[in-house]
Amino acid sequence: MKPVKVGLLGLGTVGTGVVRIVEGHQEDLSSQVGSPIIIEKIAVKNSDKARSIQVDKAKLTEDPWEVIRDPEIDVIVEVMGGIEDTKAYILEGLERGKHIVTANKDLMALHGSEILAKAQEKQCDVFYEASVAGGIPIIRTLIEGFSSDRILKIMGIVNGTTNFILTKMSQEGASYEDVLEEAQKLGYAEADPTSDVEGLDAARKMAILGTLGFRTNVELKDVSVRGISQVSKEDITYAKRLGYEMKLLGIADREDEHVSISVQPTMVRKGHPIASVSGVYNAVYVYGEAVGETMFYGAGAGEMPTATSVVADLVAVIKNLKLGVNGLKAIVPYKPKKLKNDEQISFKNFILLHVDDKAGVLARITQVFAEFGVSLESVVQQPNELNPEAEIIIVTHNATKASMDKVLQHFEGLAVIRKIKSVYRVEG
Ligand SMILES: NC(=O)C1=CN([C@@H]2O[C@H](COP(=O)(O)OP(=O)(O)OC[C@H]3O[C@@H](n4cnc5c(N)ncnc54)[C@H](OP(=O)(O)O)[C@@H]3O)[C@@H](O)[C@H]2O)C=CC1
Ligand SMILES: N[C@@H](CC=O)C(=O)O
Ligand code: NA
């Protein structure tokens, strides 16, 4: 029973959880893999920093290369974040025959195919369950659970920080800035929270899910992204009044082998299972041709949920080590990529307009929709209490993105429309 030696890159929110679980669940873990698991070395930025757990100082180093080059280490667990330097550490680790577990979606979304190719060449494992929806085993589910099905749609609340913010804004009327600060304190937000609130973090996760779900190489540049920084309390109030919850939703779908992947604030009808996912919780809804609707729910960020996935990957690597089957190719993105164009992408829309309060305005507006072939589900006009203008709230039926863009372009030049206040995708 030779112990398996692990090198840890990073001892922040996630790294601390990894140490807690490896130490706290040692008996259970070693009985599953057949040998003790030892965290041999840990790279940190500042080895003098006070930590919330006790670690043997002799294990700490400020030089990640020391971990990578240690011949005793079998598996590298990368939970320090970063892209270019981190990629170099991981590639060198693989070159030296070390298996990799990472929580780093930034890295996997941008360089996943190169890293996985290197892993293949070296017959090593690279597992990255924590990179999408922290504590939810969604990557394993797409690779193994749905290996027999053909996935048509994936919808995900895959960023805990923004779901936490939108929930607090909706339920408590809290301000965007205050809630963001709270999410940072709780360890949910990225080092630079712009990537959370502007949707980039979710886009990276959707690129990973899209690749696994559709077996085609979805790259970050294929994902259209809009974040939540422009979502106002007023928008959230309207959403609730109409029976929707505002969510930052990643949506990946395919029809006839053409795919589209996007991230945007979306009004989700309250009856849909994803509408009730609140706080830091994440959920991934998967629709498969054979299985139909499924949904996976759990904490998407935070120390212990994320570390659970990291350590589960570690267990998987060690089991493979014992069986001598590391480096098996799990998902091959073998399909040529065909992205939908704007004529093929279609969804329902919510539009809030501020307009002149006079006769004929509503007719003029509905005429524009008709001109571009957009059919309407509902239209409500109400006076604006503060201004001598009216508000028109429109929900369309499914409309192509191309025709909606034309409608909105036309509205820009229409004198009776004072302002296109908000436009959101509607789901559910
Ligand atoms: N936080 C979360 O809920 C989740 C995070 N992730 C991902 O996990 C990874 C880690 O996140 P998180 O734990 O929150 O990050 P933290 O910022 O809390 O921790 C980063 C750790 O890495 C160390 N580190 C940073 N740069 C270097 C460097 N150049 N050399 C050596 N050590 C370094 C830091 O050292 P020091 O302690 O000395 O500062 C720290 O221990 C990221 O990729 C993140 O995207 C994924 C899912 C959820
Ligand atoms: N910042 C991310 C952390 C997990 O990936 C989030 O808020 O979901
Ligand atoms: Na996960």
Side-chain angles (χ1 to χ4, degrees), residues 128-139 309:
Y128 47 103
E129 182 61 76
S131 69
V132 181
I136 310 174
I138 187 63
I139 290 185
S309 287

Side-chain angles (χ1 to χ4, degrees), residues 22 28 67 104 130 143 148 155 195 223 253 261 267 323 341 417:
V22 168
D28 200 27
V67 179
N104 193 330
I143 293 175
S148 54
M155 288 205 292
S195 67
V223 186
D253 62 21
I261 306 96
M267 289 189 178
L323 295 169
N341 61 35
I417 294 181

Side-chain angles (χ1 to χ4, degrees), residues 129-329:
E129 182 61 76
S131 69
V132 181
I136 310 174
I138 187 63
I139 290 185
R140 194 156 286 126
T141 298
L142 289 177
I143 293 175
E144 291 171 13
F146 291 132
S147 58
S148 54
D149 205 354
R150 187 167 174 278
I151 291 165
L152 299 179
K153 188 165 187 176
I154 303 174
M155 288 205 292
I157 294 178
V158 288
N159 183 269
T161 302
T162 46
N163 205 42
F164 185 75
I165 294 173
L166 290 173
T167 303
K168 289 245 172 181
M169 284 173 77
S170 169
Q171 293 178 357
E172 297 168 21
S175 84
Y176 172 86
E177 291 76 15
D178 287 351
V179 197
L180 174 57
E181 205 181 312
E182 198 182 338
Q184 285 175 292
K185 279 194 194 129
L186 289 166
Y188 304 152
E190 297 303 304
D192 174 6
T194 320
S195 67
D196 292 297
V197 295
E198 294 305 345
L200 184 59
D201 178 78
R204 287 170 166 157
K205 292 166 176 169
M206 290 309 295
I208 295 172
L209 293 184
T211 298
L212 296 173
F214 301 147
R215 276 78 159 137
T216 191
N217 187 24
V218 177
E219 297 168 86
L220 187 58
K221 65 178 170 54
D222 303 325
V223 186
S224 75
V225 191
R226 178 180 156 200
I228 65 159
S229 59
Q230 302 303 313
V231 176
S232 66
K233 278 191 198 174
E234 187 194 12
D235 294 335
I236 291 177
T237 307
Y238 272 115
K240 285 169 82 169
R241 208 183 289 166
L242 291 174
Y244 299 104
E245 289 290 347
M246 185 74 81
K247 296 290 172 196
L248 183 71
L249 218 58
I251 304 175
D253 62 21
R254 83 165 146 185
E255 275 166 279
D256 306 328
E257 294 315 321
H258 285 80
V259 302
S260 85
I261 306 96
S262 60
V263 169
Q264 61 275 294
T266 306
M267 289 189 178
V268 187
R269 193 174 291 284
K270 277 184 184 153
H272 193 283
I274 220 160
S276 58
V277 175
S278 54
V280 72
Y281 281 93
N282 280 195
V284 184
Y285 166 98
V286 182
Y287 188 90
E289 199 172 67
V291 73
E293 287 188 304
T294 60
M295 197 167 97
F296 305 87
Y297 170 85
E303 179 182 317
M304 297 309 274
T306 310
T308 303
S309 287
V310 173
V311 180
D313 277 352
L314 181 57
V315 167
V317 168
I318 302 173
K319 282 182 176 168
N320 284 350
L321 259 175
K322 302 280 161 169
L323 295 169
V325 293
N326 301 98
L328 288 179
K329 208 185 253 184

